[in-house]
Amino acid sequence: AQSVTQLDSHVSVSEGTPVLLRCNYSSSYSPSLFWYVQHPNKGLQLLLKYTSAATLVKGINGFEAEFKKSETSFHLTKPSAHMSDAAEYFCVVIPTGGSYIPTFGRGTSLIVHP
Amino acid sequence: GAGVSQSPSNKVTEKGKDVELRCDPISGHTALYWYRQRLGQGLEFLIYFQGNSAPDKSGLPSDRFSAERTGESVSTLTIQRTQQEDSAVYLCASSLGGQGQETQYFGPGTRLLVL
């Protein structure tokens, strides 16, 4: 069994300040972990993914995430928010054994204030 | 094509009617996924295909939902006797393989409204 918990449904930051979107997971198998972003009226796009290589993963648009097995976490960060970062962010876990069924978190809405 | 396409982009139907949603994946992608996204919710996994086979159908909400894929290409999701709770955006995604590590590429979705 697997699950994903995105700890905040909404995160509000000011432009230029750091962003932290939190994700915790559980998985019976070693997981692959992903962050996807969904801008208003646009399709989902991959931000970054962890697939058992380096635990610190860099993605597009300055985002990065660190896989911490001991904490079962995969939090998404960015040093300085931009107005264009306002979107819905989804954390996803896919087991690397068994059924390969993806499980999506409920999403975190990032609001960026000028 | 350049990306995953879905049709129709919007569908309004009456309760009790059947609807068919179509997904054209990226050429060469062997894995294809269907999801449902209700308003303000995350994505709910429905079914995935590896080639033309669906290894796991347990995500389908009821026996009114069915899906098929032919030629390791186009997939259709059929909802029979639609209900108002079926109203949602139905998303399709494809990936090069289905072993859990590949990036999924998403289509724009079909927005279904059941009156």
Side-chain angles (χ1 to χ4, degrees):
Chain A
Q2 64 197 37
S3 66
V4 178
T5 303
Q6 291 186 241
L7 294 153
D8 307 290
S9 59
H10 296 84
V11 169
S12 183
V13 301
S14 297
E15 190 174 22
T17 64
V19 175
L20 170 63
L21 305 183
R22 298 181 293 167
C23 173
N24 285 95
Y25 72 92
S26 67
S27 178
S28 301
Y29 293 89
S30 295
S32 292
L33 294 157
F34 304 75
W35 277 98
Y36 283 84
V37 60
Q38 187 176 35
H39 288 275
N41 300 315
K42 291 192 176 180
L44 280 104
Q45 179 185 19
L46 178 73
L47 267 182
L48 50 79
K49 65 180 179 181
Y50 165 77
T51 57
S52 77
T55 56
L56 182 62
V57 182
K58 295 186 184 298
I60 61 172
N61 300 334
F63 284 94
E64 62 182 40
E66 186 171 8
F67 172 68
K68 292 187 176 180
K69 186 175 181 179
S70 61
E71 299 177 11
T72 60
S73 69
F74 190 58
H75 301 334
L76 181 69
T77 60
K78 182 173 180 177
S80 176
H82 192 272
M83 295 297 292
S84 61
D85 295 328
E88 192 82 14
Y89 292 79
F90 294 97
C91 182
V92 186
V93 60
I94 304 179
T96 55
S99 63
Y100 308 113
I101 301 296
T103 300
F104 277 69
R106 294 176 62 89
T108 297
S109 179
L110 178 62
I111 302 159
V112 183
H113 299 286
Chain B
V4 178
S5 60
Q6 292 185 246
S7 61
S9 54
N10 291 281
K11 177 71 176 180
V12 180
T13 190
E14 293 179 349
K15 178 181 172 181
K17 295 281 180 70
D18 297 351
V19 295
E20 192 172 275
L21 312 180
R22 177 187 168 111
C23 172
D24 284 86
I26 293 171
S27 178
H29 280 193
T30 61
L32 185 148
Y33 302 80
W34 282 100
Y35 298 92
R36 178 169 69 180
Q37 186 176 27
R38 291 196 167 112
L39 190 64
Q41 305 280 322
L43 273 69
E44 176 187 1
F45 169 81
L46 297 178
I47 190 171
Y48 96 100
F49 290 90
Q50 185 62 44
N52 293 331
S53 300
D56 192 314
K57 301 181 181 179
S58 61
L60 294 175
S62 74
D63 58 8
R64 296 186 295 104
F65 287 72
S66 63
E68 66 173 15
R69 187 180 185 194
T70 56
E72 297 196 2
S73 180
V74 172
S75 176
T76 53
L77 177 68
T78 302
I79 309 173
Q80 295 179 308
R81 306 181 302 281
T82 52
Q83 303 293 313
Q84 289 183 330
E85 64 261 28
D86 299 334
S87 297
V89 176
Y90 289 82
L91 290 165
C92 173
S94 70
S95 66
L96 194 58
Q99 303 301 305
Q101 297 190 348
E102 291 89 6
T103 299
Q104 292 184 49
Y105 296 85
F106 283 83
T110 293
R111 191 175 300 273
L112 175 65
L113 178 61
V114 183
L115 300 176

